């Protein structure tokens, strides 16, 4: 379901069933209880996924890795992720979010910390693959989990609050990673990049245990909600089910036959190519502008992510208020494509490079909450939601393998990222076109 399909009926239902002030107060309470912990968990997840972008500033030289080796290792994470994501999300629906989170976070935290022992390309590939296997299901699991609590007309802003963790991971991770590379280098006989993996991996294990004892699988089991507040949540979510269409009756196997599922997966693939072009290569782009000190690279890399954190929230809120998703997403994709293609043109000018990269990062990262608001409007509350959300995400995340691998290969062959960035820009334009073709109302 997209846009105007739900705006009027949802507001009417809010007024008829419960006072608007009570509904707003309940969702403020839910947001304050859930989002901070989920946000911190996703910051940890994203740091463990992309910290290899900073580690490679030292790691490649110490281990004699080429750009192609690094690009393949960065991308192979998503092969393991792809293979195990759907089973993980189906398991979440069966056993609950708490048990799923503690399993995922303990295993990925230990594996991320274990990256400190990498000493060969084969081990690098193997550990990155295992990291993908163990983290599989976290992101789509959290997207599914939010549909258990929030109706369609509130998901844009809450998705943005959750997904700004990606931007904040860049804000925090850049300076933290740069500091670790310099100031921890040589401590206890370990290199800076080894300390980087260790210090950013172990906190995920702790957060997994915290999530197990803090979160509730569903609203009905939340002891911190009153009976009236639980009733409000039930009524809001039931309204979504009442206005849903034929997809409500589909099973996961049925959903695999629906063309729109694959068009959404393709769109997510193009957006992910843009996200990871920024995430994995931002340090290298800044170094290409003439900055050589790792700590300075880390500090400067925080700037684009700060801008992205603001735009993700503001544009998603506007999307909720306007009850429109497609044009918001398409415009961001076009801006991201133009600025991504412009990056090679401004290389060498640090100020101009940072300005262009900041606009590109803001536009591309804002695509994430907008896309998942569209997808969960269509799928949330249906029998097929758990498997289909994971299926769309796993197909789309092939872009996380393709983007860094292609960029690494292109840089090894040509000495420049330019041609690779042009390819990613073209994919973003294709994603914008497909997004505009999504039907405005839900249905198969």
């Amino acid at each position: 379901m997209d846009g105007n399909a739900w705006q009027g009926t949802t507001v009417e239902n809010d007024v008829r069933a419960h006072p608007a002030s009570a509904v707003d107060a309940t969702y403020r309470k839910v947001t304050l209880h859930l989002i901070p912990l989920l946000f911190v968990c996703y910051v940890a997840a994203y740091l463990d996924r992309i910290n290899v972008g900073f580690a490679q500033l030292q790691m490649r030289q110490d281990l004699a890795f080429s750009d192609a080796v690094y690009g393949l290792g960065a991308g192979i994470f998503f092969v393991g992720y792809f293979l195990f994501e759907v089973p993980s999300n189906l398991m979440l629906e069966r056993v609950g979010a708490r048990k799923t989170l503690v399993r995922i976070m303990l295993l990925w935290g230990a594996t991320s910390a274990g990256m400190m022992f990498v000493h060969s390309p084969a081990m690098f590939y193997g550990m990155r693959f295992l990291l993908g296997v163990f983290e599989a299901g976290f992101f789509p699991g959290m997207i599914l989990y939010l549909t258990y609590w929030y109706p369609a007309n509130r998901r844009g802003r809450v998705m943005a609050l959750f997904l700004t963790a990606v931007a904040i991971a860049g804000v925090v991770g850049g300076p933290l990673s740069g500091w670790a590379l310099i100031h921890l280098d040589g401590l206890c006989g370990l290199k800076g990049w080894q300390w980087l993996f260790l210090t950013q991996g172990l906190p995920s294990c702790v957060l997994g245990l915290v999530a197990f004892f803090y979160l509730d699988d569903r609203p009905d089991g939340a002891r911190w909600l009153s009976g009236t507040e639980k009733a409000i949540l039930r009524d809001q979510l039931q309204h979504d089910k009442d206005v849903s269409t034929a997809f409500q009756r589909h099973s996961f196997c049925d959903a695999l036959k629906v063309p729109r599922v694959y068009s959404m997966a393709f769109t997510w693939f193009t957006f992910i190519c843009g996200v990871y072009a920024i995430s994995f290569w931002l340090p290298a782009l800044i170094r290409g502008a003439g900055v050589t000190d790792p700590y300075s690279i880390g500090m400067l890399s925080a700037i684009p992510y700060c801008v992205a954190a603001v735009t993700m929230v503001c544009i998603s809120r506007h999307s909720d208020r306007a009850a429109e998703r497609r044009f918001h997403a398409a415009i961001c994709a076009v801006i991201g494509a133009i600025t991504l293609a412009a990056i090679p043109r401004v290389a060498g000018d640090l100020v101009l490079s940072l300005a262009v990269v900041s606009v590109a990062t803001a536009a591309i990262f804002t695509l994430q909450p907008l896309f998942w608001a569209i997808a969960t409007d269509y799928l949330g509350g249906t029998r097929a939601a758990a498997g289909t959300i994971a299926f769309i995400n796993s197909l789309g995340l092939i872009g996380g393998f393709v983007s860094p691998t292609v960029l690494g290969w292109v840089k090894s062959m040509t000495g420049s990222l330019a041609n690779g960035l042009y390819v990613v820009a073209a994919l973003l334009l294709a994603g914008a076109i497909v997004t505009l073709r999504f039907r405005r109302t839900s249905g198969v």
Side-chain angles (χ1 to χ4, degrees), residues 78 114-115 120 124 136 186-187 219 234 291 304 311 313 374 395 410 416 422:
F78 296 98
M115 286 286 295
S120 68
F124 181 46
L187 183 65
R234 279 195 301 269
V291 181
T311 58
V313 173
I374 292 172
L395 285 181
V410 168
S416 169
Y422 298 151

Side-chain angles (χ1 to χ4, degrees), residues 271-332:
F271 294 169
I272 282 295
C273 282
V275 168
Y276 285 101
I278 296 291
S279 297
F280 283 130
W281 290 99
L282 180 57
L285 291 170
I286 293 175
R287 184 167 58 185
V291 181
T292 57
D293 174 58
Y295 183 68
S296 297
I297 291 174
M299 291 297 292
L300 290 172
S301 70
I303 295 174
Y305 290 116
C306 284
V307 178
V310 174
T311 58
M312 288 173 76
V313 173
C314 292
I315 294 176
S316 295
R317 283 182 177 274
H318 187 270
S319 173
D320 273 354
R321 288 196 300 268
E324 198 287 317
R325 311 289 193 199
R326 297 179 305 145
F327 284 100
H328 283 77
I331 290 169
C332 286

Side-chain angles (χ1 to χ4, degrees), residues 67-208:
D67 287 312
V69 168
Y70 165 68
L72 178 58
I76 206 168
F77 165 94
F78 296 98
V79 177
Y81 202 104
F82 170 80
L83 293 174
F84 288 87
E85 185 160 31
V86 172
S88 179
N89 227 36
L90 292 174
M91 186 180 297
L92 181 148
E93 190 165 45
R94 176 170 294 186
V95 306
R98 295 165 60 248
K99 292 179 181 178
T100 302
L101 261 184
V102 71
R103 168 183 59 83
I104 289 174
M105 297 191 73
L106 285 175
L107 290 174
W108 106 49
T111 304
S112 181
M115 286 286 295
M116 64 184 293
F117 299 112
V118 165
H119 57 78
S120 68
M123 190 173 183
F124 181 46
Y125 300 150
M127 291 295 285
R128 289 288 296 175
F129 176 81
L130 286 177
L131 188 63
V133 170
F134 294 142
E135 194 183 319
F138 175 80
F139 176 78
M142 292 302 94
I143 296 297
L144 176 66
Y145 185 63
L146 292 174
T147 69
Y148 295 163
W149 299 81
Y150 293 90
N153 68 321
R154 294 179 182 269
R155 284 191 202 127
R157 71 199 79 173
V158 78
M159 294 286 182
L161 289 173
F162 172 60
L163 289 169
T164 50
V166 176
I168 297 303
V171 174
V172 175
L176 182 63
S177 298
W179 181 87
L181 289 175
I182 293 177
H183 295 285
L184 297 182
D185 191 34
L187 183 65
C188 298
L190 298 176
K191 299 289 188 178
W193 62 268
Q194 292 176 304
W195 278 110
L196 173 60
F197 286 125
L198 181 64
T199 57
Q200 293 184 10
L202 293 183
S204 297
C205 300
V206 177
L207 285 169

Side-chain angles (χ1 to χ4, degrees), residues 59 114 155 371:
M59 185 182 190
R155 284 191 202 127
F371 173 83

